[in-house]
């Protein structure tokens, strides 16, 4: 499922990132890679606030729709 539909407060695993290479590289620099764990803290107002590794990241709806989790 896309990250925008992921339930809040539940740790998920990133299974696929569908984006251009520039975006994938940027996300990888932030620690968002296939196989890593991600937890959605809140989603609303057009963005998703997530915990990735030890930090918090906010993704706009467009980017979050291209990150698939299970």
């Amino acid at each position: 499922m896309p990250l925008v539909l992921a339930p809040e407060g539940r740790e998920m695993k990133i299974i696929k990132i569908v984006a251009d290479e520039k975006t994938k590289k940027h996300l990888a620099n932030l620690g968002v890679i296939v196989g890593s764990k991600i937890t959605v803290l809140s989603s609303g107002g057009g963005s998703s606030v997530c915990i990735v590794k030890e930090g918090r990241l906010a993704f706009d709806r467009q980017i979050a729709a291209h990150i698939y989790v299970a």
Side-chain angles (χ1 to χ4, degrees):
M1 83 181 80
L3 186 61
V4 294
L5 300 177
E8 294 179 7
R10 189 166 143 210
E11 186 175 76
M12 308 290 282
K13 183 177 180 181
I14 298 173
I15 57 170
K16 181 169 60 169
I17 299 173
V18 181
D20 59 52
E21 288 304 314
K22 181 181 175 185
T23 303
K24 284 182 182 180
K25 185 175 180 179
H26 178 68
L27 290 172
N29 288 336
L30 296 172
V32 180
I33 56 173
V34 173
S36 64
K37 304 287 185 186
I38 189 167
T39 303
V40 177
L41 292 178
S42 67
S43 60
S47 65
S48 297
V49 178
C50 304
I51 295 177
V52 179
K53 296 188 179 188
E54 302 295 318
R56 292 181 186 202
L57 297 173
F59 301 104
D60 67 11
R61 193 164 188 79
Q62 185 178 7
I63 294 294
H66 290 76
I67 300 171
Y68 289 82
V69 296

